[in-house]
Amino acid sequence: MNKILIEGLTRQKIIDRLVADDVRLIMKSAKDDNFDFVAHRFEQGFKGYNNLSDSELINEWIEIKEDWEYFGEERPYDVA
């Protein structure tokens, strides 16, 4: 069963949105020859959104939700 974690979003929907926003940031940074975001991920490591707890995912979502709608046109692909 796909339980709702926050704001009508399931765990998978949050993961999909977080990944889409990361891709947006990577592409935007690459256009500016700025690789800080990717370098930070490699240097600091990233365990992956699938490995985050529900509360960690919710916190990640809360951090980007305003940008999610504002930068919607910049996303390279559509996510529900």
Side-chain angles (χ1 to χ4, degrees), residues 14 18 41 46 49 52 55-65:
I14 293 172
L18 292 169
R41 289 286 200 206
F46 181 66
Y49 292 118
L52 297 181
S55 61
E56 288 172 315
L57 274 177
I58 290 168
N59 288 336
E60 291 286 331
W61 170 245
I62 290 169
E63 283 186 34
I64 69 131
K65 72 180 182 178

Side-chain angles (χ1 to χ4, degrees), residues 14-25:
I14 293 172
I15 290 169
D16 291 346
R17 289 179 178 202
L18 292 169
V19 170
D21 196 59
D22 283 354
V23 171
R24 175 189 71 82
L25 291 172

Side-chain angles (χ1 to χ4, degrees), residues 1-2 6 13 15 19-22 25-26 29 34 37-38 40 45-47 49 54 56-57 62 68-69 73-74 78:
M1 179 173 186
N2 293 324
I6 188 172
K13 284 185 180 180
I15 290 169
V19 170
D21 196 59
D22 283 354
L25 291 172
I26 290 167
S29 297
N34 179 345
F37 181 80
V38 174
H40 178 77
F46 181 66
K47 65 181 181 177
Y49 292 118
D54 288 350
E56 288 172 315
L57 274 177
I62 290 169
W68 175 256
E69 292 193 16
E73 293 178 8
E74 292 182 12
D78 192 29

